[in-house]
Amino acid sequence: MNYYDSNNLKKIPDLIRLAPEATQSYLNFEHQVYEELKAIPLRTKELIALAVAHITGCPYCIDTHVKKFQSLGGTREEIFEAVLVATCTRAGAVLSHATHSLVAYEEGMSQEQQTSTEVQPKHTPKCFC
């Protein structure tokens, strides 16, 4: 079985029939975001969407939004730069969340152990992304 076979998309009508009202709500929302809201140009929305698609790892969305962006005059360089921005932001978020691991680890240590392992950095970032 190929999990990401584009033929799988032919099953979307089956999904719609399973929950037509919920599906219609989503389709209305998508239409409003992409077509009715005008503060961000459609080309930019598609660039954002393709960067997000890489973070969510959806090959269907990557394919769809890259093709839409391309049809609006988008370049390969813009696509890859957007993917790099998404990559950097995602990596920064992972690093920032690593602070929770340190807190959890320190909660399991005695006060004496905590004091002996503390290092004061020269610069503390507010966020890595």
Side-chain angles (χ1 to χ4, degrees):
M1 176 179 182
N2 182 343
Y3 290 105
Y4 296 112
D5 184 340
S6 61
N7 287 319
N8 292 347
L9 297 175
K10 293 176 185 173
K11 296 280 188 186
I12 288 178
D14 296 337
L15 295 175
I16 293 170
R17 281 191 291 279
L18 293 171
E21 293 87 14
T23 303
Q24 193 56 54
S25 292
Y26 166 75
L27 294 172
N28 289 340
F29 176 62
E30 181 183 50
H31 177 78
Q32 288 175 351
V33 169
Y34 282 94
E35 303 300 329
E36 294 178 21
L37 297 177
K38 300 293 184 188
I40 299 173
L42 182 58
R43 187 175 185 276
T44 304
K45 290 177 186 181
E46 290 300 339
L47 187 60
I48 293 167
L50 72 87
V52 171
H54 280 79
I55 295 302
T56 62
C58 178
Y60 304 120
C61 292
I62 292 169
D63 187 53
T64 296
H65 292 292
V66 165
K67 287 177 181 171
K68 285 181 180 179
F69 181 70
Q70 183 182 26
S71 76
L72 295 168
T75 67
R76 292 171 49 185
E77 293 80 9
E78 290 171 305
I79 289 169
F80 191 55
E81 189 169 329
V83 170
L84 290 175
V85 169
T87 302
C88 185
T89 303
R90 182 66 185 134
V94 170
L95 288 172
S96 295
H97 279 83
T99 59
H100 297 282
S101 297
L102 294 178
V103 169
Y105 184 85
E106 290 166 357
E107 287 175 351
M109 296 171 64
S110 69
Q111 186 65 34
E112 184 178 302
Q113 289 172 313
Q114 287 181 27
T115 305
S116 68
T117 62
E118 289 180 6
V119 176
Q120 296 300 321
K122 293 179 184 176
H123 176 277
T124 305
K126 293 180 183 175
C127 178
F128 285 101
C129 58

